[in-house]
Amino acid sequence: MATEEHYRAGVDIGGTFTDIVLVSNSGTVYSKKLLSTPHDYSAAIESGLRELLSELSVRGAQIGEFVHATTVATNAIIERKGVRVALVTTRGFGDVLELGRFRAPRPYDMGFRKPEPLVPRRLRFEVPERVSSKGEVVEALDSAALESVAQALERENINALAICFINSYANDAHEAQAAAFFRRRLPAVSVTTSTSLMPQIGEYERTSSTVINAYIRPVVQSYVNALNARLEALEVAAPLMIMQSSGGIAPAPTVAERSLTIIESGPAAGVLGGQRLGEQIGIADLIVFDMGGTTAKATIIENHAFGMSPECEVGGGALMGNRMIKGAGYPVQAPTIDIAEVGAGGGSIAMVDEASGIKVGPRSAGADPGPVCYDHGGTQPTVTDANLALGYLNPAALVGGELALNADKARQAIRTLGARVGLDATETAYGIHAIANATMLRALRSVSSERGQDPAKFALLAIGGNGPVHAATLADSAGMNRIVVPPVAGLFSALGMLFADVEHHLAKGFYRRLTTGSADDINAAALSLVEGARKLLAEEGYAAAHQQRITVSLDMQYRAQSSTLTIPLSQYPATADTVATLFRSFEEEHRRTFGYVTGEIVQSVAIKATAQGLSATPRTPTRITHGNTRARRGEPARRAYFGEQHGWCDTPVIERADLDAQPRSGPLIVEEYDTTIIVRPGWTARLDRWNNVHLERA
């Protein structure tokens, strides 16, 4: 009797599309791309997965692993659709959220305003208690004050409560006492304490993180429960795993408790996939360029490693730049892949601004109504409409014919916009395309040249439904000479999350001056974290030593510096030599990140343990092939516009497999189910043995 094939499923929800992939044991990828359902994102997952299983005659029970990246947490914050939350804090610290930090991403913009705190002032309750920075109890927690707060919470119909006391990172007894009281007194209220998340110094960042988690946790839990119910209806018994901002995955119940860890869930999946692909094909230096329907992201991978930041910001718009530009949103203390993001995607809307010029984004048409060409009610032209009018996209339909396009409506919307600024339809369409590219170039430069890196040193990994459409133009502008378009590029984030390992992050405060004699202190502080990390992995089926990878790191800074750098120990337990290496690594990273080093005293702020569960089988397939391309063979060539220099060109339209015989020179259009690769004049396309398309500039 033949052995039944088993599959791994990856699902990524974006602002416009929901991407679903099934990967067989042999590495064949089967995919489904459909419009997202903003009213209930899990609905698109169920309908898309049901259709894909039916097409392949596969049962839900054959899915042995289910990994998901979601924007539910991020959207709840951006759209202010979290639950009604209150804050309990130390007397005198009720205004921490208001005071924040004196930072602004645009210091000369007099119109800039920080987002309003998620907890209004009247829902911030101060109680008598005090712990010193050394963990000594200075003033006991007032139990009577807790009862008074509980009564107020009942009157206000609070759904969630954040508890953050001053210096609780040094002694969490008062937070634990308050949490136990409120859970007993108000069992229907979701309670989050700061020390259960990231018990480390930084009063504002810790308070903000606790509030964020409390605000979105019930939303994420409800979503996870709804998705689990839909998976049960499809007979999918595999446990639901969710992608974290750090590039690792974790069980849904764990993530639901610590919802702040999935703020950058989707973008992290694409970066992790790019890093693993680079290892496989031997390209150590990559810039991952991910362009979807709403935003475009860029991340640098140097020597097979991507950068990590100990915190991110959310709710203040796209991350224009990098971790050095802060103050636009709410800080979240959670390990996050260092990603630059701009509001430019296929759905970005083009309009006439106050200066009578064309502006593109950051507003997006999203999935509903979507671009004009989707014919779902959109009236304002978008980047996708412009690319269609320029001949880059199949005028018949996208995603293998499943999404019909109305090219006439797109052209009319572009003509109408152009008439307002005195441009014809072609000039307007190419202008929209070029303006979107200029915006995305900011993201590329922010992770490369603005950090002292020459973009020409890197290959550009183009992913996302729109990434391969714009990649060659961007590479030209950035001076890059090589582009890699992986198989299933338009759904690469959904695929990339299947390459990730199970991962947990544990941390605690470790605030002290470091010297070469600090090895014993480091080992003593790390012991409980390492033991906790091993226990977590063992509970999830990674009990053997060879199944566990534990990395200990320190958040370090120069004395009186506000920013920190996370530096891993070269070995654990630490020795005097380990600490010496730690100092050197800190200075190297400080020079790379900030551009200088000093002779100042170095201190640690926090100590962390990263625990990874290692699978017995390779997470990355040796070769990726697309099993259900559903390619819609259209005309063998069509006219496409490549700017004033080249004008309109009769451009061959081929499929990826057609590059197998020999390299092809541009202009060329490579059409696939999930994306379109535009090979501009002056570029050559070839296929490697792993089924990646390489574009090289002549």
Side-chain angles (χ1 to χ4, degrees), residues 33-61:
K33 196 176 188 78
L34 68 162
L35 290 173
S36 296
T37 48
H39 66 283
D40 178 2
Y41 286 107
S42 66
I45 296 175
E46 181 182 8
S47 60
L49 188 57
R50 189 182 297 277
E51 289 177 21
L52 186 55
L53 292 173
S54 177
E55 290 173 12
L56 302 176
S57 298
V58 170
R59 298 180 301 108

